[in-house]
Amino acid sequence: MDFNWSPNQAELFERSLEFAKRRVEPHAKAEQFNLDVWNECGEFGLTGLAIPTEHGGLGLDALTTARVLEAFGQGTCDLGLLFSAGAHLFACARPILEHAEPELVEQLIPALARGTKIGANAMTEPGAGSDTQQLAARAVRDGDDYVLQADKAFVTNAPIADVFLVYATTEPSHGYLGLSAFVVTPDMPGVRVGAAMAKVGLGSSPFGSLYLEDCRVPARYRVGPEGAGSRVFQSSMAWERACLFGIYLGAMQRQLDAVVSHALERKQFRRPIGKFQGVSHRIADMQLRLESARMLLYRACWMHDQQRDSVLAISLAKLAVSEAAVQSGLDAIQLHGGLGVVAEAGIERGLRDALASTVFSGTSEIQRNLIARALGL
Ligand SMILES: Cc1cc2nc3c(=O)[nH]c(=O)nc-3n(C[C@H](O)[C@H](O)[C@H](O)COP(=O)(O)OP(=O)(O)OC[C@H]3O[C@@H](n4cnc5c(N)ncnc54)[C@H](O)[C@@H]3O)c2cc1C
């Protein structure tokens, strides 16, 4: 077992950390999507981390991708932007790269890798969230096209997306094998994108609804064979659950560093508060939770890179990182006292940005179901 990073991985981590601090963090306070910052991140390579170099990306494996995202999460509190980049990369660009016909890959991937086109994925519906087998969205073959009807909810990047990966039922009676995936662009007739919805946290990651009404999509825009939609989605979720959560490792490291400084500086009862066991043990637990989640995430990414069966490892990692991130956000507030809840101080943002992490990419309960299933329960 080798816990060392290669010189290239170490250099990329430091460069990413420095870039995030210098170019992203100064804009983070606005909590709004900033296209200039997005474009700069695209030039850096963030939007194409796990896309092969021949398609315009950085060609990183899952482990190095997660490590770079960790550096970004440590370097800036703009987790919304990083989350948007992750959703774009793992749930739109990667599945298109892996499953679409070569012409479609050629047409879309270089621009997605550079971030000059923004990607989104549309699976969730008002009536189908955790249960992705119950989609009401329909795609009916008609000559060289499919005609799609869909009402999609909570689509990250919807208000800014150039490319949607949309899941719809092609054969209702076939269950898991009844879904198919399609590339839809906002300029296609019958496409309507809802207004950005306000939400708690991740403010710079716009999300909203997508409506398709008699939307005619050329068959060559299907991603993967007909009926392979669930497989396409699962492969994208494996990437997303493993790598994207690197941003929360970085955020937790940032919070830990901040609470240690605060506990050393802040004095009450004529002593630094870090000298009180009630304070220092909470910080020790933050460290323990971060380190355990980090190891689980690195292992999950490594297994994914080795093409081993990584479903259990990825669920364990996603669950551990997201629940640790929420707890870390709560701890950071408690340890800062009144300052912890003052918006201007920026401490409470950590909790706000963590809350959704136990919901998206499969809820904590769904991860526990997957873990239990892997144990034969
Ligand atoms: C910030 C954010 C970004 C998102 N981005 C996207 C996106 O880009 N594309 C997209 O398609 N979707 C996206 N989603 C939607 C997300 O995938 C869903 O919210 C999630 O899958 C849960 O679905 P739901 O909200 O319908 O909740 P439900 O599935 O209705 O779940 C409600 C509660 O019931 C629990 N539950 C449901 N089924 C079970 C079960 N079998 N066992 C135990 N508990 C269960 C859940 O865990 C949850 O606690 C996003 C969500 C958020 C919050």
Side-chain angles (χ1 to χ4, degrees), residues 83 87 91 120-126 128-131 152-157 199 202 207 233 356 358-366 369:
F83 175 62
N121 99 95
M123 169 62 95
T124 307
E125 300 178 353
S130 299
D131 187 358
K152 297 291 185 179
F154 307 143
V155 179
T156 296
N157 295 340
K199 63 180 175 323
L202 302 173
F207 85 161
F233 184 67
T358 60
V359 174
F360 57 67
S361 311
T363 66
S364 285
E365 292 74 22
I366 294 302
N369 287 352

Side-chain angles (χ1 to χ4, degrees), residues 58-322:
L58 292 193
L60 304 180
D61 58 14
L63 181 57
T64 316
T65 298
R67 182 72 174 153
V68 169
L69 288 171
E70 183 179 352
F72 269 84
Q74 193 174 324
T76 178
C77 66
D78 196 346
L79 289 205
L81 181 89
L82 304 182
F83 175 62
S84 270
H88 154 98
L89 173 59
F90 303 121
C92 183
R94 268 305 309 190
I96 292 173
L97 172 78
E98 285 174 34
H99 301 280
E101 292 295 324
E103 304 83 67
L104 194 57
V105 168
E106 202 45 53
Q107 181 185 330
L108 296 176
I109 293 298
L112 287 169
R114 288 193 303 273
T116 51
K117 279 190 193 298
I118 299 178
N121 99 95
M123 169 62 95
T124 307
E125 300 178 353
S130 299
D131 187 358
T132 55
Q133 302 302 305
Q134 301 303 323
L135 296 189
R138 290 281 178 272
V140 177
R141 182 85 191 225
D142 183 23
D144 288 341
D145 300 330
Y146 284 86
V147 180
L148 270 68
Q149 322 285 343
D151 183 350
K152 297 291 185 179
F154 307 143
V155 179
T156 296
N157 295 340
I160 50 169
D162 305 291
V163 178
F164 290 92
L165 185 59
V166 176
Y167 296 87
T169 304
T170 33
E171 188 44 76
S173 60
H174 286 186
Y176 182 84
L177 297 174
L179 296 194
S180 301
F182 302 89
V183 161
V184 171
T185 56
D187 56 350
M188 288 175 174
V191 177
R192 188 165 61 85
V193 178
M197 272 190 281
K199 63 180 175 323
V200 59
L202 302 173
S204 47
S205 174
F207 85 161
S209 301
L210 173 73
Y211 307 99
L212 307 181
E213 200 179 334
D214 294 329
C215 176
R216 206 163 259 283
V217 178
R220 67 186 184 86
Y221 275 44
R222 199 186 59 225
V223 174
E226 192 172 296
S230 294
R231 192 158 53 81
V232 173
F233 184 67
Q234 293 310 334
S235 72
S236 76
M237 282 300 107
W239 274 98
E240 184 169 293
R241 287 173 189 163
C243 298
L244 185 145
F245 288 78
I247 69 178
Y248 285 105
L249 295 180
M252 282 190 270
Q253 185 64 59
R254 195 164 25 78
Q255 282 169 330
L256 185 62
D257 295 344
V259 296
V260 169
S261 302
H262 184 70
L264 289 171
E265 280 162 24
R266 173 74 176 166
K267 286 194 175 134
Q268 288 295 285
F269 303 96
R270 286 180 282 122
R271 302 169 72 189
I273 58 169
K275 294 296 173 200
F276 299 117
Q277 200 178 67
V279 168
S280 63
H281 281 193
R282 186 187 287 272
I283 297 176
D285 284 347
M286 285 175 81
Q287 169 86 0
L288 174 65
R289 231 179 277 113
L290 166 58
E291 292 287 343
S292 331
R294 184 183 266 142
M295 286 300 122
L296 283 171
L297 188 105
Y298 290 169
R299 187 186 62 149
C301 291
W302 178 82
M303 287 179 74
H304 189 261
D305 286 332
Q306 303 292 316
Q307 293 177 354
R308 298 189 186 196
D309 181 356
S310 51
V311 174
L312 174 59
I314 288 175
S315 283
L316 287 167
K318 195 272 175 186
L319 182 60
V321 177
S322 58

